[in-house]
């Protein structure tokens, strides 16, 4: 049994049909979801002479979990690196039409920003939220802190009686489109 055959034996039986053993690939990425495709894209940018194969069990993406999920993208994190990665992802998704264009054909990933709302119902939670907001906005995140009255006005369906502070990531002008 060759090395390539032994390596392929760890893949699911139905996945083997997507792998060509006749050509040598320097990189095999297992999984063509957002992380796998992002890895392939960035590897191709940084190493244009690298041969890359992405192995995806559903190459049509009609049953892929990433395309079927509602998804979500936020910048409300307490670690600077997570905020930076999320902002990079947001900006990348905003620019996919031009970044992933092939010749004159644009790629539409149907990215829709809807925003993220976190709520604090204690002074301790509100203090943490304010501290995190300083970090987030300092890194360039579009996060607004809303007090109880602002929350009630912006989100009339929300019972804000026991809420002290809210952290909304996204454009407030898009709230009516939720």
């Amino acid at each position: 049994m060759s090395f390539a055959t032994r390596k392929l034996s760890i893949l699911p039986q139905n996945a083997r049909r997507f792998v060509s053993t006749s050509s040598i690939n320097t990189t095999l990425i297992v999984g063509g979801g957002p992380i796998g495709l992002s890895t392939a894209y960035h590897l191709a940018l940084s190493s244009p002479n690298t041969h890359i194969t992405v192995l995806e069990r559903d190459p049509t993406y009609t049953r892929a979990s990433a395309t079927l999920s509602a998804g979500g993208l936020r910048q409300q994190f307490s670690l600077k690196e997570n905020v930076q990665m999320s902002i990079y992802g947001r900006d990348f998704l905003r620019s996919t039409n031009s970044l992933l264009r092939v010749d004159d054909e644009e790629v539409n990933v149907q990215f829709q920003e809807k925003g993220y709302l976190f709520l604090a119902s204690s002074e301790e939670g509100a203090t943490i939220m304010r501290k995190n907001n300083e970090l987030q906005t300092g890194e360039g995140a579009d996060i607004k802190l809303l007090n109880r009255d602002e929350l009630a006005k912006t989100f009339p369906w929300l019972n804000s009686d026991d809420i002290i502070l809210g952290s909304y990531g996204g454009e407030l002008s898009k709230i009516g489109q939720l």
Side-chain angles (χ1 to χ4, degrees), residues 13-169:
Q13 191 68 29
N14 64 346
R16 291 185 197 174
R17 62 189 164 124
F18 297 110
V19 178
S20 169
T21 56
S22 62
S23 65
I24 298 172
N25 292 297
T26 56
T27 303
L28 172 66
I29 297 172
V30 179
I35 300 300
L37 290 177
S38 176
T39 301
Y41 173 82
H42 288 90
L43 181 61
L45 284 180
S46 66
S47 303
N49 295 324
T50 300
H51 297 280
I52 303 166
T53 298
V54 176
L55 180 67
E56 169 57 41
R57 70 180 172 149
D58 179 16
T60 65
Y61 290 92
T62 56
R63 296 181 317 273
S65 60
T67 54
L68 295 175
S69 71
L73 187 63
R74 65 182 172 106
Q75 293 100 51
Q76 289 123 309
F77 294 99
S78 58
L79 291 175
K80 173 177 73 169
E81 295 82 3
N82 289 348
V83 175
Q84 291 169 344
M85 284 191 302
S86 187
I87 290 171
Y88 177 82
R90 176 203 65 197
D91 293 345
F92 182 89
L93 288 169
R94 285 177 175 172
S95 304
T96 54
N97 286 351
S98 60
L99 287 173
L100 303 179
R101 170 182 281 153
V102 177
D103 298 324
D104 289 333
E105 189 175 331
E106 289 189 350
V107 174
N108 181 0
V109 296
Q110 300 176 3
F111 176 56
Q112 299 175 25
E113 292 182 76
K114 299 294 184 182
Y116 245 86
L117 177 64
F118 284 82
L119 302 171
S121 61
S122 70
E123 280 301 332
E124 179 184 8
T127 299
I128 292 169
M129 191 175 279
R130 285 184 192 97
K131 180 183 174 194
N132 288 344
N133 182 263
E134 286 181 33
L135 169 84
Q136 296 154 1
T137 56
E139 293 300 320
D142 184 19
I143 310 292
K144 308 279 188 290
L145 291 180
L146 305 169
N147 64 32
R148 178 181 298 131
D149 293 336
E150 292 168 322
L151 285 166
K153 182 179 177 184
T154 307
F155 303 97
W157 47 264
L158 177 69
N159 179 353
S160 58
D161 293 344
D162 61 343
I163 304 299
I164 295 172
L165 190 65
S167 171
Y168 182 76

